[in-house]
Amino acid sequence: MSVKAFTPFVGSLLFLSAISAPIYANDFRHIADPLNLNDSLYLGFDGDVFKLGGSFATSHQKFSANTNLGGDKWHLGYLYSTNQLNLRASVQHGKTDTPQGKASHYQYQLGLMTEHQGWFATQLFTELAVNHLAVKSYKDSTAANVNMTLLKPMTEHWYSEFFAQGNMGIDGVERYEARSWLALGYQINPQWSWVVRYQYDWEKLERFESEDTQWVFAVRSQF
């Protein structure tokens, strides 16, 4: 997907932002809740790579970004959330294996998220999305994306997260991706928390396949 082709996509988000009626953010949402509409800051380590990020929120929208210090891997996110609709969009830049070695890629995603309140304060978030991958000097691929987040506050301060995601090509290109993590967090107070997680990533684009595991440690704040 070229920048020119992506322009109408961004325009649609801005139009939605302009015409939407405001709602009030839930100040009591958990700091790890993916539908949390609060400003935030994030810093941590993915493996041995330092990352910095944050978000800016209004009563019904949130704009977020994070990057490594090298600037070659970054993520931009958008959330539009009301009682009836939770729309998420993102652009991610990273690296993909190709016949010429690792090449820059851009990954665009647009999806709808639902929330379910389970037993003992467990929250389940599921998302269905369309994911488009554009690899420089190689080829594009469009995939269906399914992901889920399970958030479980265990005590007043401790909480756990489980995340699982899968991509499968739907345009004839052989492409599969999987990501999952298990995390343990400690919420010092409603504004500050730290989290440690173990993450697994696997991807296959035609005959190129990669697999990676890493520990992630981060400090998060919301205000």
Side-chain angles (χ1 to χ4, degrees):
M1 183 183 290
S2 66
V3 173
K4 183 177 180 181
F6 188 60
T7 300
F9 173 70
V10 176
S12 299
L13 295 181
L14 294 177
F15 177 71
L16 180 63
S17 168
I19 66 172
S20 59
I23 67 167
Y24 294 99
N26 186 349
D27 294 333
F28 300 100
R29 277 195 179 270
H30 196 277
I31 196 169
D33 189 325
L35 298 179
N36 189 332
L37 289 173
N38 282 296
D39 298 336
S40 67
L41 290 175
Y42 168 99
L43 57 90
F45 289 89
D46 286 10
D48 59 352
V49 178
F50 181 74
K51 295 184 70 174
L52 177 67
S55 66
F56 170 76
T58 68
S59 59
H60 57 285
Q61 299 175 93
K62 183 163 70 174
F63 302 86
S64 60
N66 67 67
T67 182
N68 62 358
L69 287 185
D72 60 334
K73 292 184 179 181
W74 49 261
H75 180 277
L76 300 176
Y78 172 80
L79 167 66
Y80 173 80
S81 182
T82 70
N83 291 331
Q84 294 78 34
L85 177 68
N86 298 304
L87 173 70
R88 303 210 308 173
S90 64
V91 182
Q92 177 180 307
H93 179 261
K95 303 287 186 179
T96 295
D97 288 326
T98 74
Q100 293 77 35
K102 285 192 175 293
S104 294
H105 77 237
Y106 290 90
Q107 212 170 149
Y108 309 92
Q109 183 161 307
L110 179 64
L112 293 174
M113 176 170 278
T114 60
E115 175 184 7
H116 177 72
Q117 189 75 36
W119 292 347
F120 306 110
T122 300
Q123 290 176 277
L124 174 64
F125 304 88
T126 57
E127 182 179 20
L128 297 176
V130 175
N131 180 289
H132 184 82
L133 174 69
V135 184
K136 184 178 181 181
S137 303
Y138 192 51
K139 61 176 58 180
D140 290 6
S141 169
T142 301
N145 176 282
V146 179
N147 66 76
M148 59 160 282
T149 302
L150 189 66
L151 173 61
K152 170 60 179 172
M154 297 181 295
T155 68
E156 180 183 356
H157 297 287
W158 291 98
Y159 63 93
S160 63
E161 295 176 82
F162 175 72
F163 174 83
Q165 172 179 279
N167 281 338
M168 183 176 70
I170 56 176
D171 62 349
V173 177
E174 186 183 9
R175 175 184 164 213
Y176 301 96
E177 294 179 2
R179 167 175 286 188
S180 64
W181 72 62
L182 184 62
L184 179 66
Y186 185 81
Q187 186 164 293
I188 301 168
N189 56 45
Q191 287 74 43
W192 289 93
S193 79
W194 58 261
V195 63
V196 59
R197 77 182 189 217
Y198 185 69
Q199 181 173 307
Y200 171 79
D201 292 283
W202 172 79
E203 63 177 343
K204 177 178 175 62
L205 181 60
E206 297 186 317
R207 60 188 178 90
F208 300 95
E209 185 174 351
S210 65
E211 188 176 30
D212 183 45
T213 59
Q214 60 184 328
W215 287 95
V216 177
F217 175 78
V219 176
R220 297 191 282 204
S221 70
Q222 65 174 359
F223 46 91

